[in-house]
Amino acid sequence: MTSFGLYSRKHKPPDPENCSDMILQYKSSVIDKCGFVPEYKLPSDERVELAAHYTETVIIQRSKEQNEKYYREHVKSAYTSGTKTSSQLLSNDKNHSIRIDQLFSPDSDGNTPKTVILSGDSGRGKSFTLQKIMLDWASGELYSENFAVVFLLKCEELKCIFKEMNLIDLLSWSSGLTPYQISQILQLTPERVLFLIDGLDEYVSHPPIHFVPSHTNPSKKTSPMDTLKNVLRGVLLPESFMLVTTRSIAADPVMNLLKGPQRFTEIMGFSERGVQEYFHKFFQDELLFKKTYESVKDK
């Protein structure tokens, strides 16, 4: 079991009942934070329920070999006449789609991935999907048997923090739990921790990623991005699981930074049924829905 140095020496061993209360408190705050999203058609201070506007996207899974081939073609296409359209990709891969509740399911050999990479071009809904996963976990609708606690870390925010933090401080900052509460939870169930790490391509472009010394001490303070690096590679909290998002173009370099075993997936957008569902949520009038949907479909 992972030792949490500074905090574990000062306090008694974690109490399971106390940790359960802490996690329930945390889940309540997650629901308050993730349950709503901005509605850009409304004034800036108004929000709508995420669940009411979320539409399930098409996520496909590839083997490592398929991903390497796809990545080479994707990079090559950026320098030639153009990339494949999303409709072409969806047509080719629609039979391999999986749901978000299957991301950490064992494969045909019974192996469960430690790291799932969810790639996709900008605007495909990667961040939105992570927010939905957080909400569903906190509501008891997703991964409740798999993971005792889920933390969301956004690389775009982390790279702007210049104060040095250790892992416990970083998770306290992102979750609102105290360092003591974080330490207690991580000591009790390190193998049931899931990290959702959004925008890992921001990490890849954040130098100097190749010169950060590894350390196994969760009490050691470094920059947030350096602390994240040691989580990504499994140096810190190796028992934990990760779901990371990144742009498609950065997926291959990202895979080399992460602990295994890995599963590569890509978010492709909506299926035709999903598009219809999406438009139905915004256009209650049936005639207006059909007119708008057909207009977009024909483009």
Side-chain angles (χ1 to χ4, degrees), residues 137-153:
W137 167 77
S139 303
E141 299 176 11
L142 181 70
Y143 295 146
S144 57
E145 296 182 0
N146 305 71
F147 305 114
V149 64
V150 182
F151 296 107
L152 175 60
L153 298 171

Side-chain angles (χ1 to χ4, degrees), residues 198-215:
D198 192 25
L200 201 55
D201 43 282
E202 296 283 350
Y203 175 87
V204 175
S205 64
H206 184 78
I209 64 172
H210 298 297
F211 303 99
V212 179
S214 297
H215 66 82

Side-chain angles (χ1 to χ4, degrees), residues 24-136:
L24 285 175
Q25 171 193 337
Y26 174 51
K27 285 183 175 182
S28 179
S29 69
V30 168
I31 292 172
D32 290 341
K33 184 177 181 179
C34 296
F36 294 86
V37 292
E39 173 52 80
Y40 299 107
K41 295 180 181 179
L42 299 175
S44 58
D45 60 341
E46 293 192 39
R47 302 187 301 167
V48 297
E49 289 187 4
L50 183 149
H53 281 246
Y54 178 80
T55 301
E56 188 171 340
T57 57
V58 174
I59 299 174
I60 59 100
Q61 178 182 336
R62 294 191 183 92
S63 67
K64 181 179 179 181
E65 292 74 19
Q66 288 173 321
N67 177 59
E68 290 173 348
K69 179 181 179 181
Y70 171 76
Y71 175 74
R72 290 193 298 269
E73 293 175 351
H74 196 89
V75 172
K76 182 180 179 180
S77 67
Y79 297 96
T80 56
S81 59
T83 60
K84 293 183 179 181
T85 65
S86 59
S87 59
Q88 289 175 312
L89 286 171
L90 184 57
S91 175
N92 292 338
D93 293 306
K94 63 183 178 181
N95 294 326
H96 304 283
S97 62
I98 61 174
R99 304 184 307 271
I100 58 175
D101 63 320
Q102 298 174 313
L103 291 172
F104 288 93
S105 297
D107 61 21
S108 57
D109 296 323
N111 300 315
T112 301
K114 278 288 187 180
T115 301
V116 175
I117 300 102
L118 177 61
S119 72
D121 295 336
S122 297
R124 287 284 171 86
K126 301 185 296 296
S127 299
F128 203 47
T129 298
L130 292 194
Q131 185 173 339
K132 183 64 162 57
I133 290 174
M134 284 291 291
L135 177 63
D136 285 354

Side-chain angles (χ1 to χ4, degrees), residues 16 44 68 128 130 165 195 223 236 252 259 263 274 283 287:
S44 58
E68 290 173 348
F128 203 47
L130 292 194
M165 296 179 174
F195 292 108
S223 75
L236 287 175
D252 199 59
K259 66 182 178 182
R263 171 172 290 162
F283 298 100
L287 291 177

Side-chain angles (χ1 to χ4, degrees), residues 216-227:
T216 59
N217 182 3
S219 300
K220 181 177 174 61
K221 293 180 181 289
T222 60
S223 75
M225 295 299 282
D226 291 351
T227 296

